[in-house]
Amino acid sequence: MLALLVVCCAVVYGMVVFFLSTAYHSYLVGEFHNDFRSLLNSVMERGWTASLDSVTAFTQKHDAALQLIARGQTLYTAGNLELDLSPPSIQEYGSFYQGEILYTLYTYIPAVTVAQSWRILLPFLPLIFAAVLLISAAGAFVCSRYYSRPLLGISRVAKQMAALDLTGKCETRRRDEIGVLAASLNEMSAQLSEALTGLQAANLQLQQDIEREREQEKQRVEFFTAVSHELKTPIAILKGQLEGMLYQVGEYKDRDTYLRRCLKTTGDMEALVKEILAAARMGGSDFRLTRTDLDISGMLQSVCRKFLGPMEDKRIRLCTDIRPGVRLQGDPQLMEKVFTNVIGNAVAYSPPGAVITVTQTEGRFSVENSGVHIAEEDLARIFTPFYRVDKSRSRNSGGSGLGLYITKTILDHHGIRCAMSNTETGVLFTAFLQE
């Protein structure tokens, strides 16, 4: 920019010097001819003697030499007659009659007078060049700062955007093209930031959905593996007993006894299949609850009465603290299934002489059975389908392992959180009806 300004100023100064000399020359020549014609007209009108003051003024103004000639003789001279009359010079003459005598008036100026403009400007050339250089340098500095600083800021923000750092902003209040560019870049940065935030949220949601789908797929595989394992054992037992009766092998000759056992095994399989179907139905995405207004206090008392007989057989003492009138919006059959599974597990896994405490308040429902504890690694998987604390999976010591899984699934559909924990005296199941 500095070089451009210096070159422009030099060109302008050269053009001024060149055209000024030519224009000054034309101006002097034109003025010289016009003034001489005016002088000649004055002499013709007023006479030579009366026009001597005009003659003197003309010669002084143009630094000219003047001669008056009549009949071949010089009658009058004025001005600097010692000037160089060799070309180039500017000459003018005119004739007039005074009486019967013809007078001729000659005048001339040398070309050096016209070229004085260049000689006048030449001494100022160093000063003018220094002024041009100083003004150009100052102008280049100011202009470069005015235009380059916001452009550097815009470039910095653009590099940040290229690195996906959308926190930078172009700080400028200009209203020219640079200001419009900065505002457009800020707007684009804001839109990209919003779009990137949306993409990150969508990506996070997608990852969560993928993880959830993987977990569900893993649970389905484990579920079907456990189903096949649970059904394989009673089918093998049933097949062995039927084959023994068909071939009348040993004790299987007593068909009536083993037919009753086969019927019992078939009943166990039927109950297991029903539980599997119920678990599968509630685990599906299309499962919907039928909600009604439930008196869960009365429902819980009714379920407790169903287990009074098994409790008496094992000498288990039942303690209840059920607040009357507690109501809940839910499915009546499923909520009864929850109470039945939890209290049934407490009765089944409690030793003889244990105490089962059933508590119902406005915000929670809990069942605690004494005399047993569950290992911490088992507590973490207690709600897994077909998971049992008894690794032998004996039918004499427990069910299929679906009871607590179904219970948790039902409560999840109702939006109720549940938990299993150890206490000082036993095991506590808690369902948080309100949180």
Side-chain angles (χ1 to χ4, degrees):
M1 185 171 289
L2 174 61
L4 180 62
L5 289 175
V6 170
V7 170
C8 290
C9 291
V11 170
V12 170
Y13 182 75
M15 293 176 64
V16 168
V17 171
F18 176 77
F19 289 109
L20 180 62
S21 178
T22 304
Y24 187 55
H25 177 273
S26 299
Y27 172 76
L28 288 181
V29 171
E31 188 178 32
F32 174 73
H33 288 302
N34 292 332
D35 289 349
F36 180 77
R37 294 301 176 186
S38 299
L39 176 62
L40 186 61
N41 292 333
S42 176
V43 170
M44 293 173 63
E45 293 177 0
R46 298 169 55 194
W48 172 255
T49 304
S51 299
L52 287 178
D53 55 345
S54 298
V55 172
T56 304
F58 174 80
T59 57
Q60 291 178 353
K61 177 179 180 182
H62 296 283
D63 195 18
L66 185 142
Q67 290 180 330
L68 180 65
I69 300 173
R71 296 175 181 178
Q73 296 181 354
T74 302
L75 302 179
Y76 180 81
T77 60
N80 189 4
L81 299 178
E82 297 179 357
L83 294 174
D84 186 8
L85 301 179
S86 61
S89 61
I90 303 172
Q91 302 181 12
E92 187 66 84
Y93 68 93
S95 301
F96 63 93
Y97 283 94
Q98 193 168 0
E100 296 180 355
I101 302 174
L102 177 64
Y103 294 89
T104 303
L105 186 62
Y106 289 92
T107 185
Y108 53 88
I109 59 175
V112 67
T113 304
V114 179
Q116 287 177 351
S117 60
W118 171 251
R119 292 198 302 270
I120 293 173
L121 292 175
L122 187 61
F124 293 97
L125 183 59
L127 181 60
I128 293 175
F129 180 76
V132 168
L133 185 62
L134 180 61
I135 295 173
S136 298
F141 177 78
V142 173
C143 291
S144 62
R145 295 285 289 179
Y146 182 74
Y147 287 105
S148 64
R149 176 178 291 180
L151 289 177
L152 290 175
I154 292 174
S155 176
R156 175 179 53 79
V157 173
K159 289 180 180 179
Q160 290 180 350
M161 291 176 61
L164 296 182
D165 181 6
L166 304 178
T167 58
K169 297 295 181 182
C170 299
E171 302 295 339
T172 179
R173 297 181 180 179
R174 299 171 59 140
R175 297 185 179 180
D176 56 2
E177 290 79 1
I178 295 179
V180 173
L181 176 61
S184 300
L185 198 64
N186 288 338
E187 183 178 359
M188 183 173 65
S189 176
Q191 292 179 355
L192 286 176
S193 178
E194 183 178 355
L196 186 60
T197 301
L199 287 175
Q200 290 175 345
N203 185 46
L204 180 60
Q205 182 63 38
L206 180 61
Q207 290 179 350
Q208 292 176 350
D209 293 340
I210 292 174
E211 292 297 329
R212 189 182 302 110
E213 183 63 27
R214 289 176 179 173
E215 184 64 26
Q216 291 177 352
E217 181 64 24
K218 180 181 178 181
Q219 291 178 358
R220 282 193 290 269
V221 172
E222 293 178 351
F223 183 83
F224 286 114
T225 301
V227 167
S228 62
H229 178 75
E230 289 294 326
L231 291 177
K232 180 175 65 176
T233 300
I235 289 176
I237 294 174
L238 185 60
K239 181 180 178 181
Q241 291 176 347
L242 291 174
E243 286 180 350
M245 286 185 289
L246 285 175
Y247 295 109
Q248 297 184 358
V249 177
E251 60 183 4
Y252 291 101
K253 294 179 181 180
D254 187 2
R255 293 188 177 184
D256 292 339
T257 299
Y258 283 97
L259 281 175
R260 284 191 291 270
R261 292 184 180 180
C262 288
L263 180 61
K264 181 180 182 303
T265 303
T266 305
D268 294 339
M269 290 179 61
E270 180 183 13
L272 177 60
V273 169
K274 288 182 179 179
E275 288 187 345
I276 292 173
L277 291 176
R281 182 173 63 91
M282 286 185 293
S285 59
D286 57 344
F287 178 77
R288 296 292 182 271
L289 291 175
T290 303
R291 293 180 179 271
T292 57
D293 186 33
L294 302 179
D295 180 9
I296 59 175
S297 299
M299 182 183 295
L300 183 57
Q301 292 174 347
S302 176
V303 171
C304 288
R305 286 193 292 268
K306 293 180 181 179
F307 288 94
L308 290 178
M311 291 181 186
E312 290 180 359
D313 294 339
K314 296 181 69 174
R315 300 187 307 280
I316 295 175
R317 184 163 59 92
L318 175 65
C319 298
T320 61
D321 182 12
I322 301 174
R323 178 182 298 179
V326 177
R327 310 190 71 83
L328 178 71
Q329 292 291 324
D331 189 300
Q333 294 181 352
L334 296 182
M335 289 304 298
E336 184 176 359
K337 180 70 172 176
V338 168
F339 296 148
T340 300
N341 286 349
V342 174
I343 297 176
N345 276 355
V347 174
Y349 291 102
S350 295
V355 177
I356 296 177
T357 303
V358 179
T359 305
Q360 169 71 64
T361 64
E362 191 71 30
R364 69 179 57 193
F365 151 71
S366 62
V367 175
E368 182 182 6
N369 55 310
S370 64
V372 292
H373 284 92
I374 301 176
E376 293 299 327
E377 60 270 16
D378 293 326
L379 279 176
R381 303 186 59 190
I382 198 68
F383 295 107
T384 304
F386 296 105
Y387 183 79
R388 291 180 56 185
V389 176
D390 180 14
K391 301 302 186 293
S392 66
R393 306 190 65 84
S394 172
R395 290 293 178 181
N396 297 324
S397 61
S400 63
L402 283 175
L404 288 179
Y405 169 73
I406 293 175
T407 298
K408 185 178 185 304
T409 303
I410 293 173
L411 293 177
D412 287 342
H413 282 296
H414 283 81
I416 300 173
R417 184 173 64 89
C418 63
M420 184 78 76
S421 60
N422 287 315
T423 64
E424 294 181 359
T425 58
V427 177
L428 175 66
F429 173 88
T430 306
F432 301 90
L433 305 179
Q434 294 180 1
E435 290 188 292

